[in-house]
């Protein structure tokens, strides 16, 4: 009985065609690395994407070929995404902040044929080049022409008279590697269908709440899980996009205020930087309405500050393998009945999954745990934008029932709300019980004078592990370890209180701004815990 | 390269499973025909749907079999939708307000095997029964048990321990006939995929703007294009649903006010009735935020009144063949810059299509007309929730390019906004030019004292056709034809002014509350136009 309604494939090209046709004049603004600002539109991006597709064909690219980018967020990067998808290519976003050996591994593993890169990354490219075995074409995205052909001359040579290559909705269109903590990075291969369904889900009020009147500044890099799908979701509704190739807080504030940004998306560290800049230099939040915060848990104090300024925090959880939205901290059904503190409590959790994502928490033996708000276990997910198999892997990343082990530890509440308590590998195991490093850190960041915090488990002869809390003070602050312990004492269980607080000048971060717990654990694995007073 | 992300079919059963799992306690409230009010929840509806599926299998229903309903909006009707879909059945919603011969034709053509009906429609069922050739089981949805088994005893006999039947996303799940103006009614066969994609589109802010905090009262009947997809969209977000088996304005207001209704969906006539009741009996709009108004064009005066009370009018356009959302009057990008009158102007148009729907206007020779805000032609649409072929038809309703001729006349504006100007068959052809009957009517309804208006073209020896305007006065009003003409004269072109205004006691309506233009045209086709003063 199939065939009564139209077969209409869910394709990335349909997203850009929709935006270009229905929201032709809507602006796409870029702040470039050279401090210049340019404006284009969905209509122009649609045309340029066709030129890019033509250019790639001219270079010999065929359906399924990998086209790599090593770039910040800007309009040329956006055009390359849609253009590559439109000729059936697979756009591989490479994270320029990875270690050199990871970069080499990734690009050789992907067998990328083209590398588009920002001029700022030219030194990295030069350094990698001798080891990159499959790249035939190096093209510079921005800036003045140097040794390599530029993006501009590439597309200027084309007329844009191009029909998108015919595709099925399950055809791949994007590739992003996760930098795992063990072994080599693994590639997540996105499909047209998974990206379109993810975009349709993302625009709903309980996720990103996007309309054609939204102005979105994705601070999350485009090389990080498709910038959380923002460039696709914005095309679906015709939102204005504001890109910044710089993540300098003063630049971000400038763009937020001058361009009327209503929505942003980024990791908590970004907002710590923005708040610090505001505290020092003043200024307002402009027209900001929604801050999508994910990548790591959003500290309570950040949620409070946002809410006091009428900004909704969409507290998102996800990963590269989940496209990435798994939850977005949707407001609960009884929101109107909650007081301010209860609302903060609610937003501090990661929320309910949108339609499409199924979620459960299982114990070490794979038994599904009850949604009782207490039982803590490994979070598993499945759905149309969740990974099945890593790129070029020999076997699926999931079993027959499709449940994917996220490596996160979570609790499910009776009303369906999911709360991440830790990464499985970051949990501090004290006397057979689990201490959430994330909860410790988020509580500590709320203490006056504390800029950043990291809790790790350190060997303890009796308890197996006990928490060590590393603290970066705010500039000029003189908070003490005793004050922090006192601050924490009514916020976490007594036996969770760290055995030692150590002040450090800075913490190591990943390329996407998350604290690099693995490096800290490695550094402190043989650390001898002192008492608080000794610290 | 397919298979890197999970194959996860878009199924109606996934919608109910999601709502039952993630929004278990969310209420579904029904005001029944006997004035009682009952409450159930998404969790309970999920369980009862499995029981319904079991019961249907017990009655011998198999995948693809048609299960008919002749019923108002209530929880049992909702359960039957999800239950029928869950056993692979096709839920056929029959409009009880059709003529007897149409009802007989439809149910015989569909070869329905089961008929679920409201007690209120038992007399119709009794009268049709001798002519219904394929119905094996008659089941009464509501009220006390009489001659037929009841819905309650049907599902009470089951334990709900049932796995949904395995399905492909293109499998059919719903059937709705359109009562065309010529020939026999035609069946539109909805698929799992088309309904799920339609629901995902409907929940976005620029369409219905639905969340788990929304409280939706669909006044549009469930037998009218799936109640505009509302029962599916509400499951996708876990919204509270409020049903009323009565469309009595006082009852609707009671439910709106007592249940905290934030969203409603219905034809303009419903709101005319609600306004009249409010004007007479007082009362407020409760928590109403969004009124989805479609089925026929929403008069300007209605939009003004809504907007003055901070209610957003989602001015929807669509038809049974489009699932039905084609547009939903989304606010334009420059909304914040518009003054009140400009906003009303904007909402008076039908708006831009959401992602998924493609739209164009063509002339009589099929040439695509420019989006210039002037060129008027036939509106064509295509997309994943647009019809391809009517049920049991021998050929497609569309050509190879999938464009579906809607039979509506529209103009596309430069910013992509679509404006319906008339039904193709309702256009008044005067001297080779077109007069929009809808614009005349909507303008007339804004005149004080006018309750309802209908404009039809009447034979004219010189101009071919000239407009006759039929007016129903508000109770007690004494407006004259001269006053109406004076009122219209600065709102429409001079040559559009009706040649005659005729006052009538009432206008004929379709089962869904639209003015039955065909009946009026038939009645007045040989009418001799007088002058205004003679009328």
């Amino acid at each position: 009985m199939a065939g009564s309604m139209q077969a209409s494939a869910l394709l990335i090209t349909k997203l850009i065609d929709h935006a270009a046709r229905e929201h032709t004049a809507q602006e796409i603004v870029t702040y470039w690395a050279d401090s210049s600002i340019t404006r284009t539109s969905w209509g122009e991006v649609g045309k340029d994407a066709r030129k890019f597709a033509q250019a790639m064909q001219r270079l010999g690219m065929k359906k399924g070929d990998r086209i790599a980018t090593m770039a910040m967020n800007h309009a040329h990067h956006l055009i390359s995404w849609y253009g590559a998808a439109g000729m059936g290519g697979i756009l591989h976003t490479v994270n320029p902040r990875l270690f050199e050996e990871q970069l080499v591994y990734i690009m050789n593993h992907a067998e990328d044929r083209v590398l588009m890169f920002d001029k700022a990354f030219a030194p990295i490219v030069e350094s990698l080049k001798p080891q990159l075995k499959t790249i035939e074409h190096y093209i510079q995205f921005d800036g003045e022409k140097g040794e390599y052909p530029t993006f501009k001359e590439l597309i200027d040579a084309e007329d844009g008279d191009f029909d998108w290559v015919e595709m099925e909705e399950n055809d791949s269109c994007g590739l992003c590697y996760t930098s795992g903590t063990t072994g080599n990075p693994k590639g997540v291969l996105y499909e047209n269908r998974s990206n379109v369904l993810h975009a349709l889900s993302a625009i709903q009020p309980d996720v990103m709440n996007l309309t054609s009147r939204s102005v979105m500044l994705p601070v999350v890099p485009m090389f990080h899980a498709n910038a959380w799908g923002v460039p696709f979701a914005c095309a679906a509704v015709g939102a204005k996009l504001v890109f910044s190739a710089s993540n300098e807080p003063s630049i971000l504030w400038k763009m937020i205020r001058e361009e009327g940004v209503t929505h942003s998306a980024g990791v908590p560290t970004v907002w710590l930087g923005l708040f610090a800049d505001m505290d020092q230099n003043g200024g307002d939040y402009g027209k900001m309405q929604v801050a999508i915060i994910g990548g790591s848990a959003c500290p309570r104090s950040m949620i409070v500050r946002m809410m006091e300024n009428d900004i909704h925090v969409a507290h998102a959880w996800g990963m590269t393998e989940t496209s990435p939205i798994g939850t977005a901290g949707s407001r609960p059904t009884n929101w109107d009945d909650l007081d301010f503190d209860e609302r903060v409590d609610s937003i501090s959790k990661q929320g309910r999954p949108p339609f499409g994502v199924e979620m459960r928490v299982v114990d070490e033996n794979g038994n599904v745990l009850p949604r009782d708000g207490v039982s803590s276990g490994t979070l598993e997910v499945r759905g149309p934008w969740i990974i099945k198999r890593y790129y070029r892997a020999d076997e699926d990343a999931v079993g027959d029932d499709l449940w994917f082990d996220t490596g996160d530890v979570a609790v499910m509440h009776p009303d369906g709300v999911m709360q991440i308590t830790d990464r499985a590998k970051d949990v501090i195991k004290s006397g057979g019980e689990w201490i959430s490093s994330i909860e410790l850190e988020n509580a500590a960041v709320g203490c006056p004078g504390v800029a950043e915090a990291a809790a790790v488990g350190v060997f303890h002869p009796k308890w197996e592990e006990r928490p060590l809390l590393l603290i970066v003070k705010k500039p000029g602050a003189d908070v003490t370890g005793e004050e922090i312990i006192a601050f924490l004492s009514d916020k976490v269980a007594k036996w969770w209180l760290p055995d030692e607080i150590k002040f450090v000048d800075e913490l190591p971060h990943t390329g996407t701004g998350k604290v690099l717990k693995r490096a800290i654990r490695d550094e402190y694995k043989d650390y001898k815990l002192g008492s608080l007073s000794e610290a």
Side-chain angles (χ1 to χ4, degrees), chain A:
Chain A
M1 211 72 89
S4 51
M5 302 306 276
Q6 296 185 6
S8 180
L10 302 172
L11 299 175
I12 295 298
T13 49
K14 296 245 176 105
L15 285 173
I16 186 61
D17 283 349
H18 172 80
R21 187 178 59 238
E22 309 299 343
H23 304 275
T24 318
Q26 180 67 285
E27 282 187 316
I28 314 289
V29 184
T30 302
Y31 181 97
W32 296 89
D34 68 359
S35 305
S36 65
I37 293 177
T38 63
R39 290 166 194 282
T40 179
S41 63
W42 279 116
E44 290 302 316
V45 167
K47 281 182 205 159
D48 288 345
R50 286 179 196 265
K51 291 183 183 176
F52 185 84
Q54 282 179 306
M56 287 297 115
Q57 285 196 339
R58 176 165 48 89
L59 297 183
M61 297 304 115
K62 294 184 300 293
K63 194 169 167 177
D65 281 349
R66 272 77 64 205
I67 297 161
T69 63
M70 193 186 284
M72 300 299 284
N73 296 358
H74 50 63
H76 292 176
H77 202 171
L78 183 74
I79 292 163
S80 74
W81 280 26
Y82 284 110
M87 55 133 300
I90 295 172
L91 200 288
H92 174 200
T93 51
V94 178
N95 181 348
R97 295 166 183 158
L98 296 180
F99 299 116
E100 198 165 298
E101 57 267 34
Q102 288 177 313
L103 290 171
V104 170
Y105 172 84
I106 283 173
M107 286 190 274
N108 286 336
H109 185 265
E111 298 180 4
D112 297 322
R113 295 186 62 194
V114 173
L115 176 59
M116 317 281 310
F117 62 95
D118 284 0
K119 197 173 183 183
F121 302 128
I124 303 179
V125 172
E126 284 304 318
S127 162
L128 299 178
K129 210 170 159 184
Q131 307 165 72
L132 298 178
K133 298 174 189 159
T134 59
I135 308 252
E136 301 158 40
H137 304 277
Y138 291 85
I139 296 155
Q140 187 178 306
F141 256 138
D142 60 340
E144 292 302 303
K145 181 173 164 59
E147 185 184 347
Y148 300 102
T150 64
F151 176 86
K152 190 164 182 317
E153 62 185 315
L154 192 76
I155 67 167
D156 281 353
E158 308 295 339
D159 62 8
D161 183 13
F162 179 80
D163 290 330
W164 301 128
V165 168
E166 292 220 358
M167 276 172 283
E168 307 286 330
E169 65 182 35
N170 287 111
D171 282 341
S172 302
C173 60
L175 178 61
C176 184
Y177 281 74
T178 59
S179 46
T181 49
T182 54
N184 283 316
K186 289 176 281 189
V188 178
L189 193 61
Y190 301 112
E191 299 174 355
N192 277 272
R193 173 181 162 109
S194 65
N195 278 344
V196 171
L197 288 175
H198 182 269
L200 275 175
S201 174
I203 62 182
Q204 67 178 293
D206 272 341
V207 182
M208 295 188 183
N209 196 24
L210 287 169
T211 78
S212 67
R213 297 165 310 289
S214 303
V215 182
M216 166 62 94
L217 170 59
V219 185
V220 53
M222 291 170 74
F223 50 77
H224 186 200
N226 290 333
W228 302 351
V230 160
F232 300 129
C234 287
V237 298
K240 173 175 169 178
L241 264 169
V242 180
F243 290 121
S244 177
S246 162
N247 286 341
E248 187 63 41
S250 61
I251 302 299
L252 293 176
W253 278 130
K254 172 188 160 71
M255 298 306 281
I256 289 169
R257 291 166 188 150
E258 290 180 5
E259 297 299 330
V261 168
T262 58
H263 288 62
S264 78
V267 294
T269 314
V270 164
W271 278 102
L272 288 175
L274 284 167
F275 286 162
D277 183 273
M278 179 181 268
D279 292 342
Q280 201 165 356
N281 303 314
D284 57 34
Y285 291 87
K287 296 187 176 175
M288 187 70 70
Q289 294 165 8
V290 178
I292 301 144
I293 300 184
S296 53
C298 183
R300 188 181 173 90
S301 53
M302 187 172 289
I303 294 169
V304 169
R305 182 161 175 172
M306 291 288 191
M307 281 178 52
E308 282 172 350
N309 289 282
D310 290 327
I311 297 169
H312 170 62
V313 175
H315 191 180
W317 170 86
M319 52 205 304
T320 306
E321 288 89 337
T322 65
S323 292
I325 301 284
T327 66
S330 60
R331 278 164 280 208
T333 309
N334 62 343
W335 180 258
D336 285 347
D337 304 326
L338 302 181
D339 64 26
F340 187 86
D341 279 348
E342 290 168 329
R343 290 182 176 186
V344 175
D345 287 345
S346 165
I347 294 295
S348 297
K349 304 183 183 89
Q350 278 73 14
R352 284 189 277 225
F355 173 72
V357 177
E358 289 179 67
M359 226 163 233
R360 68 180 190 182
V361 166
V362 299
D363 68 15
E364 286 159 21
N365 302 316
N367 301 309
V368 179
L369 295 173
R371 295 183 166 201
D372 57 7
V374 179
S375 302
S376 168
T378 303
L379 180 66
E380 297 189 334
V381 294
R382 64 180 180 185
W385 53 86
I386 312 291
I387 192 166
K388 186 179 180 203
R389 178 180 292 208
Y390 289 103
Y391 183 50
R392 299 177 66 185
D394 294 328
E395 51 187 44
D396 288 347
V398 296
D400 288 342
D401 58 8
L402 299 178
W403 287 108
F404 175 72
D405 176 350
T406 66
D408 273 333
V409 178
V411 160
M412 298 289 287
H413 290 269
D415 59 356
V417 165
M418 188 273 286
Q419 181 179 12
I420 296 287
T421 52
D422 220 331
R423 285 294 295 169
K425 59 188 181 304
D426 292 340
V427 153
I428 300 164
K429 288 170 183 162
S430 173
E433 299 283 342
W434 287 3
I435 296 173
S436 163
S437 66
I438 291 178
E439 284 191 42
L440 267 183
E441 291 159 6
N442 282 347
V445 168
C447 180
V450 171
E452 210 170 5
V456 290
V458 174
F459 172 76
H460 190 284
K462 180 174 176 188
W463 301 109
E464 180 186 2
E465 284 185 357
R466 284 297 299 162
L468 166 68
L469 184 64
L470 303 183
I471 296 287
V472 179
K473 290 185 199 175
K474 283 186 181 165
D478 60 353
V479 63
T480 67
E482 285 81 1
E483 284 166 357
I484 294 173
I485 290 290
F487 180 83
L488 293 177
S489 59
D490 64 347
K491 291 175 185 66
V492 300
K494 194 165 165 35
W495 63 277
W496 281 31
L497 289 173
D499 277 26
E500 181 175 333
I501 289 180
K502 192 173 167 62
F503 293 97
V504 294
D505 291 337
E506 59 178 1
L507 293 171
H509 290 94
T510 66
T512 53
K514 298 189 209 181
V515 171
L516 199 57
K517 292 296 254 322
R518 180 165 52 91
I520 299 174
R521 271 199 304 275
D522 287 350
E523 186 179 346
Y524 289 93
K525 67 180 174 206
D526 301 321
Y527 188 75
K528 274 216 165 98
L529 281 167
S531 72
L532 184 58
S533 52
E534 294 166 31

